[in-house]
Amino acid sequence: MAPHDLRRPFKRPAISDQQRRRELSLLRQTHHRRDAQLQARCLASSVLSLQSRSSEPVSDVGVELVPKSESLPEQESGALTKDLDVRQASRLKGAEARKLMLPEWMIDVPDRLSHDWYVFARPAGKRCIVVSSNGTTVSRLRNGSILHHFPSALPCGARTRDVSGSAQSYCILDCIFHESDQTYYVIDMVCWRGYSLYDCTAEFRFFWLNSKLEETGACGPPSHYHKFRFSPVSIYSCDQSGLLASYTGAVPYVKDGLLFYNKHAHYQTGNTPLALVWKDENCSQYVIDTDSKGQVLSQQQVVLELRDDGKLSTSDDPVVIFGCLDGEVIQMSGLRSGDLLKFDISVGGLTLVDGKLEKADLHYLGKVNRARIFADSYSKVMFQHMVRHTPLKFEDLLASISLSDDQENKPCDSEMVG
Amino acid sequence: MAMEITQFLLAAQSADANVRNEAEANLRQLQQQNLPVFLLSLSVELANNDKPAESRRLAGIVLKNSLDAKDAITKEALVQQWMSVDISFKSQIKDLVLRTLGSPVPEARHTSAQVIAKIASIEIPQKQWPELIQSLLNNVTQSESHFVVKQATLETLGYVCEEISHEDLVQDEVNAVLTAVVQGMNLAEHSVDVRLAATRALYNALDFAQTNFQNEMERNYIMKMVCETAKAKEVEIRQASFECLVSIASTYYEVLEPYMQTLFELTSNAVKGDEEAVALQAIEFWSSICDEEIELQEFDTPETGDSCPPHSHFIEKAQSSLVPMLLETLLKQEEDQDQDDSIWNISMAGGTCLCLVARTVGNEIIPLVMPFVEANIVMPEWRRREAATYAFCSILEGPTVEKLAPLVQAGLEFLLNAMKDENNHVKDTTAWTLSRIFELLHCPSSGFSVIASPENLQRILAVLLESIKDAPNVAEKVCGAIYYLAQGYEDAGSSSSLLTPYLTSIITELLRTADRTDGADSKLRSSAYETLNEVVRCSNIAETSKIIAELIPAIMSRLSQTLELQIVSTEDREKQGDLQAALCGVLQVIIQKFSSSDDTKSIIRQAADQIMLLFLRVFACRSSTVHEEAMLAIGALAYATGPEFAKYMPEFFQYLQMGLQNSEEYQVCSITVGVVGDICRALDDKILPFCDGIMTLLLTDLSSSQLHRSVKPPIFSCFGDIALAIGEHFEKYVPHALQMMQDAAKACAHLDVDDEELMDYGNQLRRSIFEAYSGILQGFKNAKAEVMMPYAQHLLQFIELVFRDRQRDESVTKAAVAVMGDLADALGPNTKILFNDCSFCAEFLGECLQSDDEQLKETAGWTQGMIGRVMVS
């Protein structure tokens, strides 16, 4: 008969360090596996590492920079996924790795504005992407140059504690840095604690932004471990009251126009018609383009790209043709295909038929500053043109809303999944 | 029909290895040629009273081993083998072993009792041996049976009850068996041998008696008989009876109330006056009661309280008499009990029980113990001082920190002085008490420590670093004290700086202690290295990286010296292995510590070549196995070096393969699998040239029935690691790997839900299968994602199955919800139809989004976004 198993002597607790080492190793492996999988699910770290490796020269401030659309093939959703992958991203270089979503200019009022859109007052300042990771926070301007390198209360944004094992907690925020109150106004959330929000709707992203940012203490006043204050902006559903609130409401920052976001749009890098910017003198200091001295130009200027066939195009995809240079002129001025050329829009102006560009009275001024690498977008040219001639007024926006409110009771099919 | 095998059986026990090996080979051959005849021959040998006892004994053992094995898979094969034997052979064998119960040779009776039980365990559940119980009962109840038969039969009944469940028999049979056993314990009717056999049989049959213990009358009868035999004249019977009481205490705690008065008297008499063997069981009875009550308290959930058995507070009720009784036992120390690990005596049992009582009753223990401590701790007699110290130590866990802190703070200086006591035992127990104090009452990271000031800490370390030079047993306890002292500063933020000024001298003393040669075994050395590990882990890295960096060459040179050791015997080999394990362990801890920050990681990078070279030499000094600790350290090194690790792969790969093939030492295999994952993450697609070899071995391991099951989940996770590293190149492994994953997913559904250990395993397996899918899907995201399309449906079904499982573990939930997002992410619009049909998804996501776990909520949010994108595409 087997004797009863004797109890372990209490006085000799075995500290099995080997077992502990095994367990700690397993724990480390589990963490790293999770990190690797999370990394595959989004691209936070690629934004950080790629841009720091970028050797792209810093462009002049004030120059409009948009991603090269030909290098980011946007065949709708399928290709989008690829852009977001780490492996793919690691093959991209410098200028192509700019990840901001850029609004088009509002040249007509979208349908269902009050149903499908958000609106908020855009803070004036430097648009930048803010990445918190590995105990530090970096903000970068659209051209890739570093604006600030600082500790913040964002997840993993400061070395306040031992940060080992929490590398997965990076965040990417789309912000505007507002000089006078030294505050980062967060206008979108791209990645939070390692989770990519690229493929989430604006509705979801804004909800997430509002519920998460506050929790971290990032909205608190600056401190040793938190150098700049972050602040969300008030985002309204674009109904009558929302539109009015964003237009007339007091905000702690200088406004630079209104931004409109389609609720169902994913975060799409580059120009998108699902985000729109609109401004007038009441809500922006910079409505009409100015020269380098801040003087309003007497005539509107546009930057267009010269193509093989002598045609002049915008930066859009597909391009919009504004005119044509004849071969002789090209030869005489020694211009080549791909050159960016600056024109005045002369007295003839832009002739529109049914809202479409028919003719542009262009007056050649010369080649543009070499730092400039993109032509103007169609919506920008049109918006500037309208501002000078038949601006889209705030009343028009309001009117379109009350018009659609009248039709509110109409049944409508929504194919969006909420 | 039976063969003559006596000579082989005797030769197989020869002192001459050649004779022995040949005989074993012959026996194996006979077994393979004709199993039924071989088994019959064994039973004939066992039954034959004319044969030598030695050959009969071995025949019985071989027969028993042909019916049962420890390993579940072998066991199942043996069961099938027995069932396929022709029935006429089986009947003859059963008759022969039953007849042997009457043999005059005790060993033959004992062996056949075991064989009968093994056959019964196979046949009774299948109703293939209906006459067994009756024939055994006849042996016991017929008055003409010889007492030898009765004794052997009672033993057999005990074994049979242990092997089968009471549900395998009809209740009448169960009752008859227990009646026979319990009546066998009757003093008036039976001889000593029969009563002893009956009491031991009852011990084995206690689980079997579940139904009878629910019936008050039957229970009363059984308890009455046990309590009577507990007072038997014969010490062996008393001991067997107390063993029954110990087992009853844990199996039938909830029905003990009416008997407790009697049991208290019985046990306290035994503790005070009986032979040690009996007294130890009497103390064990109370320890078992404590175990039950502690478990009830720990799982006490008042809101659900329905299924919980009642807490009877036996310890609380008995403590005023129980505690003084236990304190008395503390004074019965043996002179050399601290020198020898195998010693177990009444003072150790009493002390252990006292600790359990303290954990059971909490604060109430303090007034019962402190007067004893205060009265004895200053006595001239060392036994009194030691007992007082031990008693103080035993109440450190249980009472609240608020009650303990003032006591400990008041006593700390006394204890530190006692480290200079003239008696070794007193110092040993004092050092152990200090280590318990630091373990339980020193936690700066949560804001509390009995070490009130930096001056306190200085004083403590001065004493410890002096006492570590004391006798080996004391030094070992001091290592424990330093271990827990350091542990308190883990994750303690700025207070971890408090230890920094002493770090150099702590490390120096620990290394010196590890080098001591006066310890009887290697325990002191391994304690010293283990403590060193903890000190490194818990140090403030920013302040101490320089000091710890200096430790690297010191450890490396020691490790390098082990390669020069003269190896003559297997014992030398073992010693070398142990030492290498300890040193590789230290290196691993340093590597892991330094890898946590970029500043210190570069220190490892600089030393990586030399460290790796050394590890390779450690591997090379063994021929067949790889060194587990070195493997563990290499995993950490791969993480630290990143892609640089590629240069070590050509040389290291052979050991990696060796590790993956080591299915016997499954820990080694498991660790190697983990290291493959580390290397995948370090090398990314540079691991590709090695993947064919690795995948082949992993797939072989998965299909092996020999390999311990705990290795299988890590292998699935590793599939995910590999796929994530090599992306689309995983395509060629998909058919095999996915087959294995699907099979394992199916197997999860068939695990026994009542077996807690198995449920744990099931959860690990589920999680690892999801991790494999996640890695593979993400790996294919850029290219060839369509390869995974045929498996999507099955994956969703598996997720649903897991979702429906109410016992699912949180980590499984996380992995499941993440893999759902990965599926949508990787396969995109192709999965629209699948997700459309998948009604549980929304429910599952909803549940996760409601969770309190932020990480889970975020994962679910991400997955929701991914699925949302697919649905609008």
Side-chain angles (χ1 to χ4, degrees):
Chain A
M1 141 164 227
H4 189 270
D5 282 339
L6 287 177
R7 193 166 283 278
R8 258 201 88 68
F10 190 66
K11 192 173 168 183
R12 295 185 190 123
I15 37 172
S16 170
D17 197 64
Q18 189 188 29
Q19 188 53 32
R20 184 122 190 265
R21 279 198 296 282
R22 274 189 204 128
E23 282 162 9
L24 288 173
S25 285
L26 276 179
L27 201 65
R28 175 182 60 76
Q29 285 166 348
T30 312
H31 278 159
H32 292 160
R33 174 173 299 123
R34 195 180 58 199
D35 286 359
Q37 295 199 341
L38 283 177
Q39 211 168 64
R41 285 173 191 140
C42 67
L43 84 173
S45 56
S46 76
V47 170
L48 195 67
S49 58
L50 284 174
Q51 297 203 340
S52 50
R53 260 185 259 134
S54 161
S55 55
E56 192 73 14
V58 176
S59 314
D60 296 347
V61 181
V63 168
E64 194 83 24
L65 265 176
V66 292
K68 261 198 249 170
S69 44
E70 61 267 36
S71 61
L72 282 173
E74 283 161 12
Q75 309 148 4
E76 287 309 297
S77 62
L80 191 62
T81 320
K82 287 192 177 176
D83 296 339
L84 303 182
D85 181 74
V86 166
R87 231 179 306 282
Q88 181 82 9
S90 67
R91 290 184 202 114
L92 299 175
K93 289 198 186 68
E96 295 154 346
R98 290 183 200 113
K99 299 291 178 186
L100 288 169
M101 168 148 140
L102 302 173
E104 286 192 0
W105 294 70
M106 187 187 283
I107 47 181
D108 53 19
V109 183
D111 294 340
R112 299 171 56 79
L113 187 61
S114 65
H115 291 272
D116 291 341
W117 295 75
Y118 289 117
V119 64
F120 60 92
R122 175 164 84 167
K126 293 175 178 142
R127 178 85 181 276
C128 55
I129 198 151
V130 176
V131 180
S132 71
S133 162
N134 261 327
T136 186
T137 309
V138 178
S139 57
R140 285 174 189 276
L141 299 173
R142 276 147 63 183
N143 59 23
S145 65
I146 292 185
L147 177 62
H148 297 125
H149 196 147
F150 60 106
S152 77
L154 293 173
C156 251
R159 277 179 205 277
T160 46
R161 279 217 237 136
D162 190 3
V163 294
S164 61
S166 48
Q168 75 279 10
S169 288
Y170 34 61
C171 296
I172 306 178
L173 302 177
D174 186 343
C175 298
I176 293 171
F177 183 70
H178 190 253
E179 282 289 346
S180 62
D181 64 355
Q182 295 283 299
T183 296
Y184 279 95
Y185 287 94
V186 185
I187 60 167
D188 211 333
M189 182 176 271
V190 187
C191 215
W192 188 253
R193 287 194 201 274
Y195 282 98
S196 169
L197 298 168
Y198 276 89
D199 293 292
C200 300
T201 61
E203 191 170 19
F204 183 78
R205 296 197 309 276
F206 290 158
F207 159 73
W208 207 257
L209 168 59
N210 275 314
S211 52
K212 296 292 166 188
L213 189 65
E214 203 69 66
E215 294 175 356
T216 59
C219 302
S223 66
H224 182 61
Y225 290 113
H226 181 54
K227 196 166 169 200
F228 295 102
R229 202 165 70 90
F230 284 78
S231 173
V233 293
S234 299
I235 297 171
Y236 303 94
S237 219
C238 194
D239 51 21
Q240 202 149 12
S241 64
L243 189 59
L244 274 169
S246 56
Y247 184 68
T248 58
V251 283
Y253 49 83
V254 177
K255 288 184 197 176
D256 180 21
L258 301 182
L259 275 172
F260 296 81
Y261 274 68
N262 186 294
K263 291 182 181 174
H264 308 288
H266 295 153
Y267 194 96
Q268 184 178 344
T269 55
N271 276 344
T272 170
L274 296 176
L276 298 169
V277 58
W278 173 91
K279 48 176 83 167
D280 68 6
E281 293 77 9
N282 290 327
C283 67
S284 173
Q285 298 173 302
Y286 325 95
V287 181
I288 300 181
D289 279 351
T290 57
D291 63 15
S292 54
K293 296 182 193 83
Q295 297 298 309
V296 171
L297 299 161
S298 58
Q299 281 178 312
Q300 182 183 356
Q301 293 184 351
V302 295
V303 174
L304 297 169
E305 184 178 344
L306 178 66
R307 302 170 64 89
D308 289 339
D309 50 10
K311 286 181 176 159
L312 298 165
S313 70
T314 61
S315 65
D316 301 277
D317 182 24
V319 296
V320 176
I321 303 301
F322 264 66
C324 191
L325 286 184
D326 66 34
E328 240 174 276
V329 177
I330 297 173
Q331 230 167 6
M332 275 173 55
S333 353
L335 297 177
R336 277 177 303 183
S337 159
D339 281 348
L340 300 179
L341 310 177
K342 195 185 277 182
F343 298 87
D344 261 350
I345 297 180
S346 306
V347 277
L350 300 176
T351 312
L352 296 170
V353 175
D354 292 340
K356 275 190 156 178
L357 180 75
E358 178 115 326
K359 204 178 93 202
D361 181 7
L362 299 176
H363 175 242
Y364 178 57
L365 291 175
K367 290 216 259 181
V368 299
N369 186 328
R370 282 181 52 218
R372 176 86 183 243
I373 45 176
F374 300 114
D376 282 338
S377 70
Y378 177 75
S379 68
K380 183 186 176 193
V381 177
M382 293 313 291
F383 189 88
Q384 284 294 325
H385 185 257
M386 285 162 69
V387 163
R388 288 165 184 263
H389 301 96
T390 52
L392 182 61
K393 297 201 187 81
F394 184 71
E395 294 74 41
D396 302 335
L397 298 179
L398 271 182
S400 77
I401 285 176
S402 49
L403 188 68
S404 77
D405 284 349
D406 290 344
Q407 297 168 336
E408 199 164 25
N409 296 332
K410 275 190 178 174
C412 57
D413 289 329
S414 171
E415 52 178 339
M416 302 296 184
V417 170
Chain B
M1 266 233 291
M3 298 175 297
E4 174 57 48
I5 53 172
T6 313
Q7 288 315 310
F8 296 140
L9 289 167
L10 290 175
Q13 300 174 70
S14 161
D16 183 337
N18 290 329
V19 177
R20 206 164 59 229
N21 290 341
E22 197 193 328
E24 280 169 6
N26 285 329
L27 286 170
R28 251 195 313 279
Q29 202 185 357
L30 293 175
Q31 183 178 21
Q32 280 156 7
Q33 276 166 359
N34 191 335
L35 181 78
V37 172
F38 179 68
L39 295 179
L40 180 63
S41 309
L42 290 170
S43 51
V44 168
E45 184 81 17
L46 177 61
N48 190 339
N49 285 330
D50 299 330
K51 295 288 185 182
E54 295 77 26
S55 68
R56 296 177 73 183
R57 191 179 61 92
L58 186 60
I61 290 172
V62 175
L63 192 54
K64 183 169 71 104
N65 292 345
S66 312
L67 294 162
D68 192 15
K70 274 190 183 144
D71 163 51
I73 294 153
T74 319
K75 180 176 174 155
E76 184 51 33
L78 292 175
V79 168
Q80 294 307 323
Q81 177 184 285
W82 170 259
M83 296 206 307
S84 64
V85 171
D86 186 273
I87 191 147
S88 65
F89 280 91
K90 287 195 284 196
S91 310
Q92 286 185 68
I93 293 169
K94 291 191 280 189
D95 282 345
L96 284 162
V97 288
L98 273 175
R99 214 189 299 157
T100 313
L101 290 179
S103 165
V105 182
E107 280 206 312
R109 297 198 298 271
H110 174 68
T111 315
S112 47
Q114 291 176 314
V115 173
I116 292 167
K118 294 300 174 197
I119 300 176
S121 81
I122 301 173
E123 295 202 341
I124 293 219
Q126 321 235 11
K127 313 285 179 219
Q128 284 174 352
W129 201 0
E131 67 280 12
L132 172 67
I133 298 296
Q134 196 49 54
S135 61
L136 290 176
L137 287 175
N138 289 342
N139 280 352
V140 189
T141 49
Q142 279 165 13
S143 52
E144 66 271 24
S145 296
H146 192 272
F147 81 89
V148 158
V149 179
K150 287 190 177 172
Q151 181 253 357
T153 306
L154 283 165
E155 186 182 9
T156 312
L157 280 171
Y159 292 157
V160 170
C161 292
E162 207 181 12
E163 291 285 345
I164 66 173
S165 154
H166 65 106
E167 284 161 356
D168 292 330
L169 298 179
V170 294
Q171 190 59 39
D172 282 348
E173 283 177 307
V174 173
N175 295 344
V177 168
L178 281 167
T179 307
V181 170
V182 177
Q183 276 176 356
M185 294 160 74
N186 194 321
L187 176 64
E189 291 170 32
H190 298 292
S191 68
V192 173
D193 289 335
V194 171
R195 284 190 289 128
L196 180 60
T199 312
R200 288 179 175 168
L202 179 65
Y203 177 83
N204 287 329
L206 280 170
D207 268 338
F208 183 81
Q210 277 173 37
T211 316
N212 311 76
F213 258 89
Q214 300 317 317
N215 177 314
E216 196 188 340
M217 247 177 52
E218 293 180 46
R219 183 172 69 232
N220 282 340
Y221 180 59
I222 296 172
M223 289 303 289
K224 178 169 155 277
M225 292 305 289
V226 178
C227 291
E228 269 173 25
T229 46
K231 288 182 277 191
K233 267 208 323 273
E234 300 78 9
V235 61
E236 274 185 303
I237 297 182
R238 290 202 304 277
Q239 183 185 345
S241 170
F242 271 101
E243 281 168 3
C244 288
L245 288 175
V246 169
S247 176
I248 289 169
S250 43
T251 317
Y252 299 112
Y253 170 87
E254 68 279 4
V255 296
L256 281 186
E257 177 84 66
Y259 316 107
M260 282 312 277
Q261 188 56 42
T262 315
L263 291 174
F264 182 79
E265 282 157 22
L266 268 177
T267 50
S268 52
N269 288 338
V271 171
K272 281 172 191 152
D274 210 327
E275 304 271 334
E276 184 166 56
V278 182
L280 285 175
Q281 291 302 327
I283 295 175
E284 183 61 28
F285 171 83
W286 288 102
S287 292
S288 299
I289 297 281
C290 289
D291 284 344
E292 290 305 308
E293 298 197 341
I294 289 169
E295 194 175 343
L296 284 174
Q297 282 157 208
E298 278 174 1
F299 291 96
D300 185 26
T301 42
E303 62 273 19
T304 59
D306 48 358
S307 62
C308 240
H311 192 313
S312 303
H313 302 280
F314 292 139
I315 298 297
E316 203 185 311
K317 290 173 196 162
Q319 58 180 339
S320 57
S321 324
L322 183 61
V323 170
M325 173 180 97
L326 294 172
L327 289 172
E328 282 305 304
T329 66
L330 295 183
L331 294 162
K332 298 182 182 169
Q333 306 97 324
E334 282 174 73
E335 286 285 351
D336 50 358
Q337 69 183 36
D338 287 324
Q339 316 289 340
D340 182 351
D341 267 356
S342 60
I343 289 182
W344 180 249
N345 60 36
I346 191 154
S347 75
M348 295 166 89
T352 303
C353 188
L354 188 61
C355 294
L356 291 167
V357 172
R359 285 178 57 200
T360 314
V361 302
N363 289 344
E364 293 171 37
I365 194 85
I366 294 175
L368 295 171
V369 169
M370 282 314 286
F372 178 88
V373 175
E374 284 154 7
N376 289 289
I377 202 150
V378 287
M379 290 296 218
E381 208 185 327
W382 73 262
R383 284 177 199 280
R384 297 210 161 262
R385 295 199 303 278
E386 197 276 338
T389 314
Y390 194 111
F392 183 66
C393 184
S394 62
I395 60 169
L396 290 173
E397 194 179 2
T400 58
V401 172
E402 292 72 36
K403 291 274 178 199
L404 287 172
L407 289 178
V408 171
Q409 265 157 352
L412 195 56
E413 186 55 31
F414 187 95
L415 289 169
L416 292 172
N417 285 325
M419 286 309 296
K420 292 204 187 73
D421 198 285
E422 59 192 23
N423 180 275
N424 176 288
H425 288 263
V426 176
K427 287 189 282 190
D428 187 290
T429 303
T430 305
W432 178 64
T433 305
L434 288 169
S435 87
R436 292 284 289 170
I437 288 173
F438 300 144
E439 182 186 355
L440 299 164
L441 297 164
H442 164 62
C443 190
S445 61
S446 68
F448 173 77
S449 172
V450 287
I451 304 172
S453 68
E455 291 73 40
N456 273 172
L457 182 62
Q458 186 178 16
R459 164 87 174 118
I460 289 165
L461 276 165
V463 170
L464 292 178
L465 293 182
E466 185 56 37
S467 296
I468 202 171
K469 297 168 189 151
D470 209 317
N473 63 311
V474 177
E476 197 198 321
K477 302 288 193 304
V478 171
C479 285
I482 298 175
Y483 183 99
Y484 287 113
L485 183 68
Q487 194 169 74
Y489 295 108
E490 192 167 22
D491 300 326
S494 57
S495 59
S496 66
S497 301
L498 291 173
L499 210 54
T500 304
Y502 309 102
L503 194 68
T504 308
S505 38
I506 294 174
I507 290 176
T508 309
E509 284 307 325
L510 286 173
L511 285 177
R512 192 176 292 165
T513 307
D515 291 341
R516 274 169 70 161
T517 50
D518 58 345
D521 45 30
S522 61
K523 263 175 53 201
L524 177 57
R525 192 178 63 203
S526 67
S527 292
Y529 280 127
E530 285 171 1
T531 303
L532 184 59
N533 289 341
E534 192 65 6
V535 168
V536 169
R537 267 188 217 115
C538 303
S539 64
N540 182 316
I541 189 165
E543 296 170 355
T544 61
S545 61
K546 251 187 154 162
I547 303 169
I548 295 171
E550 282 165 22
L551 190 54
I552 300 174
I555 298 295
M556 283 175 63
S557 95
R558 280 172 166 78
L559 184 54
S560 152
Q561 283 160 24
T562 65
L563 300 165
E564 318 298 329
L565 288 173
Q566 280 282 325
I567 304 297
V568 184
S569 61
T570 46
E571 197 186 327
D572 292 343
R573 169 75 58 205
E574 234 171 72
K575 273 193 177 159
Q576 183 196 35
D578 287 350
L579 189 52
Q580 288 173 343
L583 292 163
C584 289
V586 179
L587 285 175
Q588 187 232 327
V589 170
I590 298 175
I591 294 169
Q592 192 151 334
K593 176 84 178 175
F594 277 8
S595 297
S596 64
S597 103
D598 283 341
D599 302 340
T600 46
K601 207 188 246 181
S602 62
I603 300 175
I604 298 299
R605 289 218 180 104
Q606 281 159 19
D609 283 354
Q610 290 163 289
I611 296 178
M612 193 63 197
L613 193 69
L614 196 52
F615 287 154
L616 289 171
R617 286 172 66 205
V618 169
F619 280 129
C621 83
R622 294 221 197 155
S623 51
S624 57
T625 58
V626 297
H627 205 293
E628 176 181 345
E629 290 283 349
M631 193 56 92
L632 212 52
I634 283 174
L637 191 68
Y639 171 68
T641 56
E644 288 285 294
F645 193 84
K647 63 181 172 189
Y648 310 126
M649 279 305 282
E651 185 64 22
F652 172 60
F653 187 54
Q654 53 179 316
Y655 302 112
L656 196 70
Q657 286 177 302
M658 224 186 249
L660 293 177
Q661 283 165 307
N662 194 343
S663 58
E664 272 159 39
E665 291 170 272
Y666 69 91
Q667 288 277 21
V668 174
C669 189
S670 181
I671 280 164
T672 312
V673 171
V675 169
V676 171
D678 282 326
I679 296 175
C680 286
R681 284 182 287 275
L683 298 189
D684 255 332
D685 55 2
K686 284 200 203 126
I687 197 167
L688 192 57
F690 305 97
C691 282
D692 281 353
I694 293 171
M695 281 302 292
T696 309
L697 290 174
L698 291 179
L699 289 166
T700 313
D701 280 341
L702 274 183
S703 18
S704 159
S705 55
Q706 304 297 315
L707 186 65
H708 194 274
R709 67 175 187 215
S710 70
V711 188
K712 297 190 176 178
I715 292 179
F716 285 119
S717 305
C718 189
F719 283 174
D721 299 338
I722 293 173
L724 203 54
I726 64 173
E728 66 199 82
H729 301 293
F730 196 78
E731 186 180 5
K732 61 177 163 177
Y733 311 123
V734 162
H736 294 294
L738 267 290
Q739 183 63 51
M740 296 278 189
M741 284 154 61
Q742 293 187 343
D743 290 350
K746 271 181 216 139
C748 286
H750 302 298
L751 295 175
D752 179 2
V753 293
D754 292 327
D755 185 336
E756 218 167 283
E757 208 177 306
L758 215 52
M759 287 311 287
D760 258 7
Y761 171 69
N763 280 325
Q764 284 172 26
L765 195 57
R766 289 180 182 100
R767 193 181 61 220
S768 69
I769 295 169
F770 288 138
E771 282 173 350
Y773 273 112
S774 284
I776 297 172
L777 285 165
Q778 289 294 344
F780 277 127
K781 191 160 72 175
N782 297 318
K784 298 193 178 166
E786 67 279 2
V787 171
M788 289 304 289
M789 203 53 216
Y791 305 96
Q793 177 84 42
H794 184 277
L795 172 58
L796 278 173
Q797 283 166 358
F798 180 46
I799 297 171
E800 177 163 16
L801 206 68
V802 168
F803 166 63
R804 304 276 175 224
D805 172 15
R806 289 290 132 203
Q807 288 180 297
R808 112 180 87 88
D809 179 274
E810 183 100 333
S811 68
V812 176
T813 306
K814 269 182 208 166
V817 82
V819 82
M820 232 155 63
D822 292 328
L823 187 65
D825 187 15
L827 296 180
N830 294 332
T831 54
K832 189 171 179 174
I833 299 173
L834 290 174
F835 280 110
N836 245 332
D837 293 345
C838 162
S839 53
F840 81 94
C841 286
E843 209 183 321
F844 190 16
L845 284 173
E847 180 201 300
C848 297
L849 290 167
Q850 301 286 312
S851 161
D852 292 333
D853 183 327
E854 282 304 311
Q855 218 181 25
L856 177 57
K857 263 203 309 219
E858 277 164 0
T859 307
W862 176 81
T863 295
Q864 193 179 40
M866 286 295 143
I867 297 176
R869 193 191 70 191
V870 166
M871 299 313 274
V872 298
S873 60

